[in-house]
Amino acid sequence: MNAVKGKKRSLYTGCIIAALIVVLVVMELTMKSTSMVFTLLKKGAIYALVAVSMNLLNGFTGLFSLGQAGFMLIGAYTYAILTMPVSIKLSDSVYKYYDCAIGFELGVIPAMIVAGLLAAIFAALIGLPVLRLKSDYLAIATLGFAEILRAIFQWDAMGPITNGANVMRQYQDLTDIKVPFTDIPFPPVLFCFLVSGLCIGVIVLLINSSYGRAFKAIRDDEIAAEAMGINLFKHKEMSFVISSFFAGISGALLAMFQYTVQAAQFKTAMTYEILLIVVIGGIGSISGSCISSFLFIACNEWLLRFLDESSNNILGLTILRSGFRKVVFSIIIMVIVLFFPKGIMGDRELSLDRLKRPFAKKEKGVDAHG
């Protein structure tokens, strides 16, 4: 019975994924590429990936880390530098004040993998000292390292590599990625969803493996986990490195989506936004992080945008002005936290069985009355 149910679930999941791909392709063929919907979908998919990577640390391993923005910074710059055509590097259009030290270029996929690996290497080095700390001390240490990384990338001495504090732009984009065995460019939104979905799928497989069970054991009780033979530092380091790898991938996707990179963007406020997404969705819930990512981006970037307009005056008083959107958004967050203290999903996951329950209850009620 379990095997049959497993096959049905896999079939249903495959059908849902195929339907989503078809919908995205149809949207990209029929709607303008500048549509706000595409912006929300791409940014939502990118933030879903980085939120899930943070949830792997905070929700499943019990490590309170605040360094995701720093690892996204590494991924974004690595991708931008490696995919920028050599002709642009040699010209003055980007490296206006420096001579670029990277004299070669890579394709989008290899550059994205290198971006994740470089973020993972930095995480492995940072993890050696900081992962021996706990709770708030670990959060402060990782936050400090993220700020140090941002300062280093803006340092003039790093100019030949990172262009210093200047904006990097005009590098390779999604139009260079072709669908396998064809010359058709990959639809940008579909590509973001495929990369984010694949990475999140790998994280889900990891959580459901023996390593994931070890992560959860460390989260629940470190002393008991160590007594069971789990190497605490090894598994913490593994979780930290894997989380940083996917944060680097999300940083590369963000650079690809924005067409520009600047270190000033990756401040602590970005880490707090990612942490907020994780908390709203539910610490320990992958589907919760994905749902809250799209809700956060939709509210912050679209639904509440009109609140920043200062054109409406009542009795000579300006009611709506720049920044008011943040005030209303903060109130909404407070209400959500009050009514959903464990987040939208808590530590549960969205499943087909859970979606069927309301309809099953209605059918039982009809049968009982009938």
Side-chain angles (χ1 to χ4, degrees):
M1 289 293 293
N2 291 334
V4 174
K5 286 184 178 180
K7 289 181 180 179
K8 285 185 177 180
R9 288 175 183 171
S10 300
L11 179 61
Y12 290 148
T13 303
C15 291
I16 292 173
I17 294 173
L20 178 61
I21 291 174
V22 171
V23 169
L24 291 175
V25 171
V26 171
M27 287 176 62
E28 297 206 77
L29 292 175
T30 57
M31 297 174 64
K32 293 182 178 180
S33 59
T34 56
S35 173
M36 175 60 73
V37 176
F38 290 150
T39 300
L40 298 178
L41 288 175
K42 285 188 283 189
K43 200 167 182 180
I46 294 167
Y47 269 70
L49 174 56
V50 68
V52 170
S53 72
M54 176 177 269
N55 213 344
L56 175 64
L57 276 177
N58 293 9
F60 293 96
T61 316
L63 299 176
F64 190 31
S65 171
L66 294 176
Q68 297 302 99
F71 299 120
M72 288 183 72
L73 168 67
I74 295 172
Y77 266 94
T78 302
Y79 173 85
I81 294 167
L82 292 180
T83 57
M84 187 183 298
V86 175
S87 58
I88 294 180
K89 291 177 182 179
L90 296 177
S91 67
D92 292 334
S93 57
V94 176
Y95 286 88
K96 191 177 297 184
Y97 307 104
Y98 309 96
D99 293 327
C100 183
I102 309 298
F104 61 92
E105 60 182 281
L106 293 178
V108 171
I109 300 298
M112 194 172 293
I113 295 173
V114 174
L117 290 175
L118 195 59
I121 292 171
F122 269 85
L125 297 175
I126 293 171
L128 293 175
V130 303
L131 289 180
R132 304 186 186 278
L133 303 173
K134 295 183 180 180
S135 188
D136 299 341
Y137 299 102
L138 175 61
I140 293 171
T142 51
L143 186 64
F145 271 109
E147 285 298 299
I148 291 171
L149 284 173
R150 185 170 65 85
I152 290 174
F153 274 72
Q154 290 180 300
W155 189 22
D156 288 340
M158 292 291 290
I161 299 176
T162 65
N163 202 25
N166 306 304
V167 179
M168 297 186 67
R169 57 170 62 90
Q170 296 182 17
Y171 49 84
Q172 208 167 353
D173 57 32
L174 284 172
T175 58
D176 295 315
I177 306 176
K178 301 295 189 296
V179 177
F181 308 110
T182 69
D183 290 328
I184 304 173
F186 234 113
V189 179
L190 178 59
F191 182 78
C192 286
F193 267 77
L194 288 176
V195 174
S196 295
L198 179 62
C199 293
I200 292 172
V202 172
I203 294 175
V204 171
L205 292 175
L206 175 66
I207 291 171
N208 293 325
S209 68
S210 59
Y211 291 106
R213 290 190 288 272
F215 295 158
K216 294 175 186 176
I218 294 172
R219 174 197 64 188
D220 295 335
D221 192 329
E222 288 192 6
I223 297 175
E226 191 172 23
M228 293 169 59
I230 296 175
N231 188 321
L232 296 182
F233 181 78
K234 174 186 173 183
H235 285 83
K236 286 180 180 181
E237 178 85 352
M238 183 185 301
S239 177
F240 191 61
V241 169
I242 293 172
S243 173
S244 302
F245 173 81
F246 290 113
I249 296 291
S250 65
L253 284 173
L254 187 63
M256 179 189 298
F257 157 70
Q258 293 183 156
Y259 298 98
T260 59
V261 177
Q262 190 173 23
Q265 175 188 358
F266 299 89
K267 295 181 179 179
T268 55
M270 176 178 281
T271 296
Y272 295 148
E273 287 182 353
I274 300 166
L275 180 61
L276 184 62
I277 290 172
V278 173
V279 172
I280 292 174
I283 297 178
S285 174
I286 299 297
S287 53
S289 296
C290 295
I291 294 170
S292 61
S293 296
F294 288 97
L295 290 176
F296 177 86
I297 296 300
C299 289
N300 195 38
E301 300 288 338
W302 180 35
L303 295 178
L304 302 178
R305 178 70 67 177
F306 73 96
L307 295 174
D308 281 348
E309 298 176 359
S310 58
S311 57
N312 297 327
N313 295 332
I314 299 178
L315 298 177
L317 298 176
T318 303
I319 303 300
L320 303 179
R321 62 180 64 202
S322 179
F324 191 67
R325 169 171 55 108
K326 295 292 184 181
V327 176
V328 176
F329 187 71
S330 301
I331 295 173
I332 294 173
I333 296 302
M334 290 172 61
V335 172
I336 293 175
V337 171
L338 286 174
F339 287 94
F340 298 94
K342 292 186 178 180
I344 297 173
M345 295 298 296
D347 58 355
R348 303 181 303 274
E349 297 294 347
L350 189 65
S351 63
L352 293 173
D353 294 336
R354 190 176 297 277
L355 293 174
K356 290 178 182 177
R357 285 178 188 174
F359 301 100
K361 288 180 180 179
K362 288 182 180 180
E363 290 177 0
K364 288 181 180 179
V366 172
D367 293 339
H369 289 295

